[in-house]
Amino acid sequence: MKRNRKGPGLFLFFSFLAYLFVILLQWDLVLISFRSLAAAAILLLTAPATLHDIFSIEIVEFWAAAIAVVAIPLVLLTISVKSGKRASMKTAGHETEASSLGSISLQAFMQNVIAQSAAAVVFVLYSVAFLAPLLAPFSPYDQQDFLVTAYKPPFTRLEALVLAQPKIQALEAYTASGATAKQAYSLISDLRTLKTRNEPHSLRFTDGFSIENGIVSYRQGMRTRTMPVAELADPSGASPSITRTFILGTDQYGRDILSRVIYGSRISLSIGFLVVLISVTLGTVIGISSGYFGGWIDALLMRIVDVLIAFPALFLILIIIATFGNSIYLIVVTLSFTGWMGVARIVRSQVLSLKEQEFILAAKALGLSNMRIIFRHLAPNTLTPVIIAATLRIGSIILTEAGLSFLGLGVQPPTPSWGNIINEGRDSLLNHWWISTFPGIAILTTVVCFNLIGDGVRDALDPRMRGQS
């Protein structure tokens, strides 16, 4: 199989352009995010009590998105430049060093077009999750005028009157003095702007409206209402309304499905990554300790593993959530501590075979400490099965979290996750199919891609599979 050299380069190039497009499209929100971050940093150093009074967790989402939208293109550009230099050196014949195992495995992975395409899709999904505040057209919690906006199919366009009333009420004036007051007012103003996505005026969605004699008549469902033109943002009536498009439709509360799916990706993908990171780390540590030290340590740890594996994992998760309540942190901890046993067994079997090898016996003969032998010699040689197990497990964790949320035991509304969005649309699946279909497609795509990546990593790290490529 020939290696596709142009594929990764083209993907890096188009990814770089896509991030630049997001920066240009949302440059105002990006600049406001960095300005508010600078103001918050100054207040943290000069007046932490003031920052505590006006801080909101919502602003952290925009800070993370702004940093990601600037940092990731720089990383992509650096990788592209290094790859280009390495390719030039190979072409000119200047690179004579033997390839490392990691380099050989990476080359083998890049030969697998299916796994490479799946990795590209996963990169896009995580990029969307990071940039959710900049990509989502609406707030995932907006449910205004649901008489007009509820249960709208994909690509519905609705008119909305632009009111003079602000979208959120003005914050109370903060009493301070000097530079502290300046930074506090700046942060308050930026926080309001970010919350409204730089759209300060309230919107009133309508099924139609008319303006006569200074009175605005508008329809919302079967109701007809009126208000004076003076309540519009443009009292002259020249541009009283704007049009909004709901690309994936709306739910029963008039919330935009696209925005909720985008924000739900942060929950589902983050839980999958964190759970696998914690469970794989815990399983690796316990597996190495059990296999290397042996004796009563091995017997005790393996009996714990046997008991936990024999106990139904889903049943244990349900007991813990029913006992202690359901929160995102509890879900992460519960899934992490019920999913490390398989990794521990795999690592233990690797260590049992490795610790009798000549290089480990030589390290012991030289008097190296147990910690040095474990971290410098054993742990690196057990990474292959650990990486394979991690990539294959992320998909199942995302599926488990979605199942818990679907049952109402996972992430609780109104916080969106793919599972609870499907749950919200299950009662109207036949008539309003789009509510559950699009998050379901997102789950299906993510799980399939991670499984394909796991297969590709397994083939790339297995010398026998590389020989068949």
Side-chain angles (χ1 to χ4, degrees), residues 372-410:
R372 178 159 184 165
I373 293 174
I374 289 174
F375 286 106
R376 292 293 299 273
H377 300 286
L378 284 177
N381 286 283
T382 61
L383 286 181
T384 296
V386 168
I387 293 173
I388 295 172
T391 52
L392 291 173
R393 181 152 176 75
I394 289 181
S396 63
I397 290 297
I398 292 174
L399 205 57
T400 301
E401 182 277 326
L404 291 174
S405 297
F406 177 79
L407 295 173
L409 299 172

Side-chain angles (χ1 to χ4, degrees), residues 16-17 25 34 39 42 49 68 102 105 158 167 239 272 285 324 331 334 345 367 388 395 429:
F16 180 78
L17 291 182
L25 186 66
F34 279 113
I42 294 174
S105 300
L158 295 176
K167 185 173 289 188
S239 55
V285 171
F324 299 101
I331 291 171
T334 302
R345 278 190 163 181
I388 295 172
L429 187 59

Side-chain angles (χ1 to χ4, degrees), residues 25-307:
L25 186 66
Q26 301 286 11
W27 64 270
D28 51 348
L29 293 181
V30 174
L31 290 178
I32 293 171
S33 298
F34 279 113
R35 186 174 64 193
S36 63
L37 179 59
I42 294 174
L43 286 176
L44 181 62
L45 296 175
T46 59
T50 302
L51 176 63
H52 180 269
D53 291 339
I54 61 179
F55 179 78
S56 172
I57 193 63
E58 295 178 37
I59 202 171
V60 177
E61 301 174 353
F62 286 91
W63 291 348
I67 294 173
V69 80
V70 173
I72 294 179
L74 296 177
V75 173
L76 294 176
L77 183 61
T78 303
I79 294 174
S80 180
V81 170
K82 289 185 177 181
S83 299
K85 288 182 178 179
R86 193 177 298 112
S88 300
M89 293 177 64
K90 286 184 178 181
T91 303
H94 296 307
E95 188 172 336
T96 58
E97 296 181 2
S99 297
S100 63
L101 177 61
S103 177
I104 295 173
S105 300
L106 179 61
Q107 292 177 13
F109 182 82
M110 299 308 292
Q111 291 175 0
N112 191 328
V113 179
I114 296 178
Q116 188 178 330
S117 302
V121 173
V122 169
F123 175 80
V124 172
L125 290 172
Y126 272 98
S127 297
V128 169
F130 275 115
L131 307 183
L134 303 178
L135 296 179
F138 301 92
S139 169
Y141 310 108
D142 284 348
Q143 46 180 308
Q144 58 184 0
D145 302 320
F146 60 87
L147 288 176
V148 178
T149 58
Y151 288 128
K152 294 301 178 182
F155 298 104
T156 296
R157 294 171 61 86
L158 295 176
E159 276 193 312
L161 296 171
V162 183
L163 306 181
Q165 177 184 357
K167 185 173 289 188
I168 60 175
Q169 296 299 321
L171 300 177
E172 297 180 1
Y174 191 85
T175 304
S177 60
T180 300
K182 182 178 179 180
Q183 297 299 331
Y185 284 127
S186 174
L187 184 58
I188 291 173
S189 176
D190 290 341
L191 178 59
R192 295 183 63 225
T193 302
L194 293 175
K195 280 185 175 181
T196 60
R197 284 170 168 74
N198 209 15
E199 294 181 352
H201 299 288
S202 293
L203 301 179
R204 185 164 297 171
F205 288 92
T206 70
D207 292 317
F209 69 93
S210 61
I211 302 177
E212 293 182 2
N213 301 323
I215 300 296
V216 181
S217 300
Y218 60 93
R219 289 185 298 106
Q220 289 184 322
M222 299 179 63
R223 301 178 181 179
T224 300
R225 298 179 177 179
T226 61
M227 67 178 178
V229 177
E231 293 186 14
L232 298 177
D234 182 8
S236 66
S239 55
S241 67
I242 59 175
T243 302
R244 287 287 184 262
T245 302
F246 298 92
I247 298 176
L248 300 185
T250 61
D251 62 8
Q252 64 269 36
Y253 302 109
R255 299 175 297 192
D256 181 52
I257 295 298
L258 175 60
S259 300
R260 290 183 64 77
V261 170
I262 289 175
Y263 270 83
S265 67
R266 300 184 314 160
I267 301 296
S268 299
L269 295 176
S270 298
I271 288 178
F273 178 80
L274 288 176
V275 168
V276 168
L277 179 64
I278 296 172
S279 61
V280 166
T281 302
L282 181 62
T284 302
V285 171
I286 292 178
I288 290 179
S289 302
S290 177
Y292 181 75
F293 293 106
W296 68 269
I297 296 178
D298 181 32
L300 175 63
L301 293 177
M302 286 302 101
R303 296 301 76 75
I304 294 175
V305 168
D306 292 338
V307 171

